[in-house]
Amino acid sequence: MAMPGVLLAASSLIALLAFGTALAHYNEDEPIRVHLVPHTHDDVGWLKTVDEYYIGANNSIQHAGVQYILDTVVEELQKNPDRTFIYVEMAFFTRWWNEQSDETKDIVKKLVHGKQLEFINAGWCMNDEAGTHYNAIIDQMTLGLEFVRDNFGDEARPKVAWHIDPFGHSAEQAAMFAKMGYDGFFFARIDYDDKKKRSDDSTLEMIWNPSPSLGEEAEIFTGVLFYGYGPPPGFCWDVHCSDLPIQDDPRLFDYNVEDRVLAFLRMVIYQAISYKTNNIMMTMGSDFCYENAREWYKNMDKLIRYVNNFTKGVEVFYSTPSRYVNDVHNANKTWTVKTDDFFPYAD
């Protein structure tokens, strides 16, 4: 039975969609499709050592324990076949993998082959692009990709490059990703003036043609993430965050489904007007998120259910960058072309 408060949120969507150029993206036959991408960004050494980050030691410097992230994500993915998660840094995943029982490894292989757990980028780390030599980049990518191939097969090889935290991006890196067989490349950090202009012009996604000598051989579809690499404001359900959970029991105080749905729809529309297709990707996670994956997935399950049940113009679902690239490709749009670096960088 639909709750009256949530129905009001649905009617409010019409007023929101009439605001500005959001109308260009709204059509009842072609709703805004919101790809929720659960993820964590795990620095392979930053404020702590790699082993401290993995174990969860020295938390007085930074609270982070990657082993618990992978433990709880694998547990939660098994509860709902619609749930997804992406993982990037093989330096941590190999440590965790080597500690698992054969039974757990079989579960993980099933999740990978079922496309619930997807490796993205899958280098040993997420390398810098400004001060690194191409030999080192190729070596660390090879190390991570060989691990994926040897343990999960060729079908698990990632098709999307994911450099969400390097400070600026080089044409050479884009060319190498294209030559490695990646179909898409996403990142978060570009100069703030460039990002504002691209957001205003709906050119946050483009074809990057970074090499005059290689030409089309080095082209790669490229996208700039909207909210950095974090979730939309107000929708972080991690131990590091203090955002409101979705309280959907009317017998208790602070019932907030209508408020949460409406706030989310505002974020959707705000983002959608900066992209060309009716698909947008929301990164649900950030640095060392998902130590308690249950909190994330319980709230995302509710968000998906209530938005989809009570709105016509927005469809929300679990996804991955690979699925997003496929849907954007199928939209058959014409893209602007980028040829130079995303340097210098300022935020």
Side-chain angles (χ1 to χ4, degrees):
M1 176 178 168
M3 297 180 181
V6 180
L7 288 173
L8 177 61
S11 64
S12 299
L13 174 64
I14 298 173
L16 282 169
L17 287 164
F19 179 72
T21 55
L23 278 174
H25 292 263
Y26 176 67
N27 184 313
E28 288 188 6
D29 297 324
E30 192 178 67
I32 300 171
R33 305 181 74 247
V34 183
H35 297 246
L36 297 186
V37 177
H39 81 108
T40 179
H41 172 57
D42 300 338
D43 295 276
V44 183
W46 178 32
L47 301 178
K48 305 196 292 187
T49 68
V50 178
D51 288 344
E52 285 175 335
Y53 272 126
Y54 176 72
I55 295 297
N58 216 350
N59 281 338
S60 61
I61 296 176
Q62 183 185 14
H63 184 93
V66 176
Q67 62 173 327
Y68 308 119
I69 295 171
L70 293 168
D71 285 343
T72 61
V73 164
V74 168
E75 181 180 340
E76 289 301 313
L77 289 179
Q78 296 175 71
K79 296 177 181 179
N80 182 348
D82 294 329
R83 292 174 174 176
T84 59
F85 193 78
I86 64 170
Y87 202 75
V88 176
E89 297 90 0
M90 294 302 102
F92 289 121
F93 196 90
T94 55
R95 282 169 166 78
W96 181 83
W97 180 256
N98 290 334
E99 295 178 350
Q100 304 311 304
S101 66
D102 289 341
E103 180 182 3
T104 299
K105 288 182 178 180
D106 287 341
I107 290 170
V108 174
K109 288 178 180 179
K110 183 179 179 181
L111 292 172
V112 171
H113 295 148
K115 306 300 183 183
Q116 281 187 262
L117 176 60
E118 189 169 310
F119 297 114
I120 297 293
N121 210 73
W124 199 246
C125 65
M126 190 179 297
N127 62 262
D128 175 65
E129 298 185 34
T132 42
H133 193 274
Y134 74 92
N135 279 347
I137 294 173
I138 292 171
D139 285 348
Q140 72 90 12
M141 290 300 301
T142 300
L143 190 60
L145 291 170
E146 283 185 340
F147 168 81
V148 172
R149 181 199 62 198
D150 293 346
N151 289 278
F152 299 96
D154 289 334
E155 66 181 68
R157 181 185 173 92
K159 285 293 187 180
V160 172
W162 189 258
H163 266 205
I164 57 177
D165 204 22
F167 285 44
H169 305 280
S170 71
E172 180 63 24
Q173 183 77 54
M176 282 192 286
F177 277 146
K179 293 289 285 181
M180 290 176 189
Y182 290 94
D183 295 329
F185 182 15
F186 292 94
F187 44 74
R189 297 186 182 275
I190 66 172
D191 183 87
Y192 66 95
D193 280 333
D194 191 6
K195 184 170 184 180
K196 182 181 185 307
K197 186 178 189 308
R198 288 180 175 278
S199 182
D200 292 343
D201 297 343
S202 298
T203 55
L204 288 169
E205 294 173 333
M206 70 213 79
I207 298 297
W208 199 351
N209 187 340
S211 173
S213 59
L214 293 175
E216 292 184 1
E217 189 179 343
E219 285 186 350
I220 189 167
F221 177 78
T222 301
V224 182
L225 300 173
F226 193 73
Y227 293 108
Y229 56 87
F235 294 89
C236 179
W237 294 298
D238 200 74
V239 294
H240 305 293
C241 302
S242 57
D243 294 341
L244 289 174
I246 296 177
Q247 205 292 81
D248 60 348
D249 188 342
R251 298 169 299 180
L252 305 179
F253 286 106
D254 299 321
Y255 174 87
N256 65 2
V257 171
E258 176 188 337
D259 290 342
R260 293 281 76 204
V261 168
L262 193 55
F264 182 75
L265 293 173
R266 290 192 187 101
M267 296 296 101
V268 167
I269 294 166
Y270 182 56
Q271 178 173 344
I273 61 177
S274 293
Y275 291 84
K276 279 192 172 183
T277 80
N278 65 315
N279 294 278
I280 62 172
M281 178 164 55
M282 286 187 166
T283 46
M284 304 303 289
S286 191
D287 294 351
F288 298 98
C289 282
Y290 287 81
E291 279 192 42
N292 179 7
R294 186 167 187 260
E295 188 172 357
W296 275 102
Y297 283 111
K298 188 170 186 177
N299 281 283
M300 286 189 292
D301 284 350
K302 291 180 181 182
L303 181 68
I304 290 169
R305 181 168 74 251
Y306 287 118
V307 172
N308 289 343
N309 282 350
F310 303 114
T311 62
K312 293 182 179 179
V314 175
E315 178 186 358
V316 187
F317 49 93
Y318 289 114
S319 189
T320 67
S322 300
R323 299 181 195 180
Y324 176 78
V325 168
N326 185 65
D327 285 355
V328 169
H329 174 74
N330 290 336
N332 197 28
K333 297 289 185 178
T334 299
W335 306 99
T336 58
V337 177
K338 168 82 170 176
T339 58
D340 54 346
D341 295 320
F342 280 99
F343 288 124
Y345 168 74
D347 62 7

